[in-house]
């Protein structure tokens, strides 16, 4: 190898090494590293001599180094710009995702706000509805309270009147001034219209009729039956209208049942139920005439237009009798003409039930033995009525 070639190779190798070092440590912007060694730097000794063309080699190496530096900086710029574009694309994608998430969350928020508004409106509507219902119920309750208080006052007045009635008038000695319906028919005939007597109100009629010619109490001998008195005492401890108790069971079998046992069985059962439920009405036939059509339309018996001293078939016995009274069961509006004997039997049973109702309600303030004898007297009236005995005023 010639001397010039050796020098050229060494210079090329040196420039290559310096380029690699410069590529590893790039120069700062605005400062260029000197290509030529300074005066103080030492150069490697070059063996041999240089030819005339060796003077221009350093300049060509500088140009080569500059071009390489330029190409490397361009590559760095391209790679940097490509990296930045990738990062930009990633950021844009993330931004789009964030926008979609924000849009979804905004829709969810709007939906929740709408549901909240609807729920609030429904709650307010329900609250107003509950307030209106509460006000309506309160008004109804106050009205019922006023009505109940009025009924209580009326019932208290009725109880007071009944107590006064019991004190001043008993079935054994009725007060005719307090009960105008107990007056004789001759006096009662001057009253106009119909006298309507419930079974509770007509309880004293038979007793008044029986008191027309009573026997002196001193001439009548009495003796308490121990069995009957024991049954009455047991019933008096807890008064009830239940038929299963021994006291009422005996009276139903021995007195009430036979006394209300009429040939017309179906109507007899209805009469017994009405007496037990206190819904039987007994009315005297008024002394007046009515049109023929009215009587035949709603009333059983009474084929003619005159309603006083009517001779017709008794609705209970089925026999032709002079019917001075008629009965109505409950509020049916149907009337049944009855004979005096049937009326006496019904009245006797009504008297008994009225008196035991008074005892049950605590309106009778007497000794147990006196109450027992009053019950026995009422049972005797039922027995006599069943046998066909009744006052002439019936």
């Amino acid at each position: 190898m010639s001397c010039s070639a050796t020098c050229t190779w060494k210079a090329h190798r040196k420039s290559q090494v310096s380029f690699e070092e410069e590529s590893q440590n790039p120069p700062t912007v605005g400062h260029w590293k000197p290509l030529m060694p300074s005066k103080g730097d030492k150069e490697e000794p070059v063996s041999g001599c240089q030819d005339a063309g060796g003077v221009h080699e350093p300049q060509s190496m500088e140009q080569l180094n500059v071009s390489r530096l330029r190409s490397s900086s361009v590559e760095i710029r391209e790679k940097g710009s490509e990296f930045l574009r990738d990062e930009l694309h990633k950021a844009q994608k993330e931004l789009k995702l964030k926008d979609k998430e924000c849009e979804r969350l905004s829709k969810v928020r709007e939906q929740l706000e709408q549901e909240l508004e609807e729920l609030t409106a429904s709650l307010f509507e329900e609250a107003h509805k509950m307030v209106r219902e509460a006000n309506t119920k309160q008004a109804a309750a106050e009205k019922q309270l006023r009505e109940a208080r009025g009924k209580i006052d009326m019932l208290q007045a009725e109880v007071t009147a009944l107590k006064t009635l019991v004190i001043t008038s008993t079935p054994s000695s009725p007060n005719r001034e307090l009960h105008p319906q107990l007056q004789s028919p001759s006096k009662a005939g001057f009253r106009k219209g119909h006298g309507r007597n419930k079974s509770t109100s007509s309880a004293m009629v038979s007793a008044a009729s029986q008191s027309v010619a009573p026997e002196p109490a001193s001439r009548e001998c009495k003796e308490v039956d121990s069995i009957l008195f024991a049954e009455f005492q047991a019933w008096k401890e807890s008064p009830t209208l239940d038929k299963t108790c021994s006291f009422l069971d005996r009276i139903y079998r021995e007195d009430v049942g036979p006394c209300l046992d009429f040939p017309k069985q179906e109507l007899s059962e209805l009469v017994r139920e009405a007496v037990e439920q206190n819904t039987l009405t007994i009315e005297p036939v008024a002394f007046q005439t009515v049109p023929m059509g009215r009587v035949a339309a709603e009333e059983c018996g009474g084929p003619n237009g005159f309603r006083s001293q009517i001779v017709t078939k008794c609705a209970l016995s089925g026999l032709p009798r002079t019917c001075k009274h008629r009965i109505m069961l409950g509020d049916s509006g149907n009337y049944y003409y009855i004979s005096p004997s049937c009326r006496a039997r019904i009245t006797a049973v009504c008297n008994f039930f009225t008196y035991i109702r008074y005892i049950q309600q605590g309106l009778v303030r007497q000794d147990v033995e006196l109450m027992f004898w009053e019950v026995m007297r009422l049972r005797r009236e039922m027995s006599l009525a069943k046998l066909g005995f009744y006052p002439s005023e019936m």
Side-chain angles (χ1 to χ4, degrees):
M1 185 178 294
S2 61
C3 183
S4 60
T6 303
C7 292
T8 303
W9 181 82
K10 288 182 178 181
H12 177 70
R13 180 63 180 172
K14 186 177 181 181
S15 63
Q16 186 176 0
V17 171
S18 63
F19 177 74
E20 290 177 358
E21 292 177 356
E22 289 176 359
S23 63
Q24 293 177 358
N25 299 317
T28 58
V29 179
H31 178 72
W32 293 89
K33 187 176 180 181
L35 298 176
M36 296 298 293
S38 59
K39 293 181 180 180
D41 295 334
K42 295 182 180 182
E43 295 182 356
E44 294 182 357
V46 180
S47 60
C49 60
Q50 297 179 352
D51 58 352
V55 178
H56 300 283
E57 287 182 1
Q59 294 179 356
S60 62
M61 291 300 294
E62 289 180 2
Q63 293 176 357
L64 181 61
N65 292 333
V66 169
S67 63
R68 288 179 177 176
L69 288 173
R70 290 178 178 175
S71 62
S72 63
S73 63
V74 170
E75 291 178 358
I76 291 170
R77 288 176 183 173
E78 289 178 355
K79 289 182 179 179
S81 62
E82 185 178 358
F83 176 76
L84 292 175
R85 280 195 298 273
D86 293 340
E87 294 294 329
L88 180 61
H89 287 314
K90 290 180 181 180
Q92 288 177 350
K93 288 181 181 180
E94 292 180 358
L95 185 60
K96 288 181 180 179
L97 293 176
K98 295 292 183 183
D99 291 339
K100 290 181 179 179
E101 185 69 16
C102 290
E103 185 177 358
R104 187 182 68 82
L105 292 176
S106 63
K107 289 182 179 179
V108 171
R109 185 185 64 183
E110 291 176 357
Q111 185 178 0
L112 290 177
E113 289 178 353
Q114 184 178 0
E115 291 179 356
L116 182 62
E117 290 178 358
E118 293 177 356
L119 180 61
T120 304
S122 64
L123 288 176
F124 273 107
E125 184 178 357
E126 187 69 21
H128 288 302
K129 184 179 178 181
M130 292 174 65
V131 170
R132 288 195 299 270
E133 291 179 354
N135 292 333
T136 304
K137 291 181 179 179
Q138 183 180 1
E142 291 177 353
K143 182 179 178 182
Q144 292 178 356
L145 179 61
R146 290 193 297 269
E147 293 177 355
R149 287 177 177 174
K151 290 181 180 179
I152 290 172
D153 295 339
M154 182 179 64
L155 291 174
Q156 288 178 349
E158 291 181 357
V159 169
T160 304
L162 285 173
K163 288 182 179 180
T164 305
L165 176 63
V166 171
I167 293 172
T168 60
S169 176
T170 60
S172 59
S173 59
N175 189 342
R176 293 178 179 272
E177 294 180 358
L178 294 176
H179 304 281
Q181 68 271 19
L182 300 182
Q183 295 178 1
S184 60
S186 60
K187 294 181 179 179
F190 295 99
R191 294 178 305 188
K192 295 182 179 180
H194 302 289
R196 176 164 296 191
N197 307 319
K198 288 285 184 181
S199 56
T200 53
S201 302
S202 64
M204 313 304 175
V205 176
S206 178
S209 302
Q210 295 288 347
S211 63
V212 174
E215 296 181 1
S218 59
R219 296 181 182 179
E220 188 177 19
C221 298
K222 297 183 293 184
E223 183 179 355
V224 175
D225 185 278
S226 60
I227 298 177
L228 299 179
F229 188 69
E231 291 177 352
F232 177 75
Q233 280 185 321
W235 176 84
K236 181 63 175 62
E237 294 295 330
S238 179
T240 180
L241 297 180
D242 189 7
K243 302 177 185 178
T244 58
C245 66
S246 59
F247 170 67
L248 290 181
D249 180 62
R250 179 188 296 274
I251 296 177
Y252 265 94
R253 284 187 290 104
E254 298 178 358
D255 301 313
V256 175
C259 195
L260 296 180
D261 186 15
F262 299 101
K264 302 295 183 180
Q265 293 294 327
E266 184 177 355
L267 185 58
S268 299
E269 292 294 331
L270 297 177
V271 169
R272 180 182 299 180
E273 292 178 1
V275 171
E276 292 174 353
Q277 298 173 4
N278 195 21
T279 58
L280 178 71
T281 303
I282 301 177
E283 292 183 354
V285 177
F287 295 94
Q288 59 184 8
T289 60
V290 294
M292 183 69 177
R294 294 184 186 176
V295 180
E298 297 182 358
E299 301 179 1
C300 302
N304 50 22
F306 296 93
R307 295 173 59 190
S308 60
Q309 302 289 334
I310 296 177
V311 179
T312 183
K313 280 188 177 183
C314 175
L316 291 171
S317 64
L319 300 175
R321 292 290 184 268
T322 300
C323 299
K324 299 180 182 180
H325 295 81
R326 61 180 183 174
I327 60 174
M328 183 176 66
L329 308 178
D331 297 328
S332 61
N334 296 326
Y335 290 94
Y336 301 90
Y337 284 94
I338 59 174
S339 64
S341 176
C342 294
R343 187 240 179 182
R345 294 164 66 172
I346 295 173
T347 305
V349 177
C350 290
N351 288 342
F352 169 75
F353 275 103
T354 301
Y355 190 69
I356 63 173
R357 286 194 188 99
Y358 285 169
I359 297 175
Q360 184 190 23
Q361 296 170 5
L363 301 177
V364 181
R365 306 290 182 178
Q366 291 180 346
D367 186 68
V368 177
E369 188 174 351
L370 294 178
M371 288 189 286
F372 171 75
W373 282 116
E374 182 63 25
V375 171
M376 294 301 104
R377 189 191 66 80
L378 295 173
R379 291 187 63 182
R380 183 175 63 180
E381 287 185 0
M382 288 188 284
S383 299
L384 291 175
K386 171 65 175 101
L387 295 175
F389 296 98
Y390 63 90
S392 59
E393 292 182 0
M394 286 288 183

